[in-house]
Structure formats: C-alpha cells, structure tokens
Amino acid sequence: MTLQAYQSVRRSTLVEGASPHQLIAMLYDGALSNITIARKHLAQNRGYQMHVHIDKAIAIVQELQASLKDYETNELAGNLFELYSFITSTLISANQNKEDDSLRTCLELIEILKDAWQAISPEQVAA
C-alpha cells in the first residue's frame, strides 16, 4: 500500500468515527494547515501550489459556513456566518493579489475560532 493510499484510508477512518464536535475541529485544522502551506508556497514564489492550497482552505471555510444552523435568526450563528464570509473573501483577495498579510489574518482568525471551539464541551454542542 502506498503512503498516499494509507493516508486516504486513515483520513476516512478518522472522519467516520468522529463526533460532530471533532469534525468541526478537523475542519479548522485543515483550513489552518492549507493556509500555512499556501504561505510557504507564496514565500517560495510557487503561485500554482499556493492557489491550490488557498482553494482547499476556501472550500473548508465554506463547509464550516454551510454547517451553521439558524444563522438568520441566531445572533451568534449570524456573526459566524459573516466572519466566514470575511475569511473567504480575504482568502480570495490573498490568492489574486499574493498577499501574505491577508493569509496571516485568516490564519489568526481561524486559530481564534478553533481555540474557542475547543473550549466548548462536546455535550454543549449536542444540546
């Protein structure tokens, strides 16, 4: 079995066995990882690879946004919806203009969201 096949199977197994709370944490980790990799590619002037990882980060943030319930009536969900929209548009701008500062801003915002998410117990999420 190749390393890539092993990683794919391992990832699928982790996702299948994860709670909703863990899945959100995994999405935050994925976004952070892809933005970090995109910043490295930007620093090394590898535009295509940067673009690929920013696109992955955008898809993850959009998935987080799509997971919000009652964002039109729930103030917290509505604020998160707007923040995810801001992060997405900032990633798009960073991609188009090759802006490391914008990537760093997104990285910092997602780290704050991840830390806040981890401070919530899984029981609170299920309620």
Side-chain angles (χ1 to χ4, degrees), residues 74-87:
N74 180 300
E75 185 179 1
L76 177 58
N79 290 340
L80 274 172
F81 187 91
E82 293 301 320
L83 184 55
Y84 290 145
S85 294
F86 173 79
I87 292 169

Side-chain angles (χ1 to χ4, degrees), residues 91-110:
L91 287 169
I92 290 168
S93 174
N95 196 22
Q96 292 171 341
N97 302 310
K98 297 183 177 165
E99 301 166 337
D100 186 62
D101 286 344
S102 295
L103 290 174
R104 189 175 64 249
T105 296
C106 292
L107 195 65
E108 290 168 357
L109 288 171
I110 295 170

Side-chain angles (χ1 to χ4, degrees), residues 16-90:
E16 289 172 8
S19 70
H21 190 266
Q22 291 169 321
L23 288 173
I24 298 296
M26 292 165 120
L27 288 170
Y28 284 134
D29 285 339
L32 291 169
S33 174
N34 278 288
I35 294 169
T36 299
I37 294 168
R39 290 185 73 202
K40 289 178 184 176
H41 287 304
L42 175 60
Q44 296 170 352
N45 210 21
R46 294 188 204 148
Y48 176 76
Q49 291 91 340
M50 178 200 71
H51 171 75
V52 167
H53 289 282
I54 290 175
D55 277 354
K56 288 179 182 182
I58 289 169
I60 291 168
V61 173
Q62 289 174 332
E63 184 65 30
L64 286 162
Q65 189 176 39
S67 73
L68 294 172
K69 295 179 180 158
D70 303 322
Y71 65 88
E72 289 142 349
T73 57
N74 180 300
E75 185 179 1
L76 177 58
N79 290 340
L80 274 172
F81 187 91
E82 293 301 320
L83 184 55
Y84 290 145
S85 294
F86 173 79
I87 292 169
T88 299
S89 65
T90 304

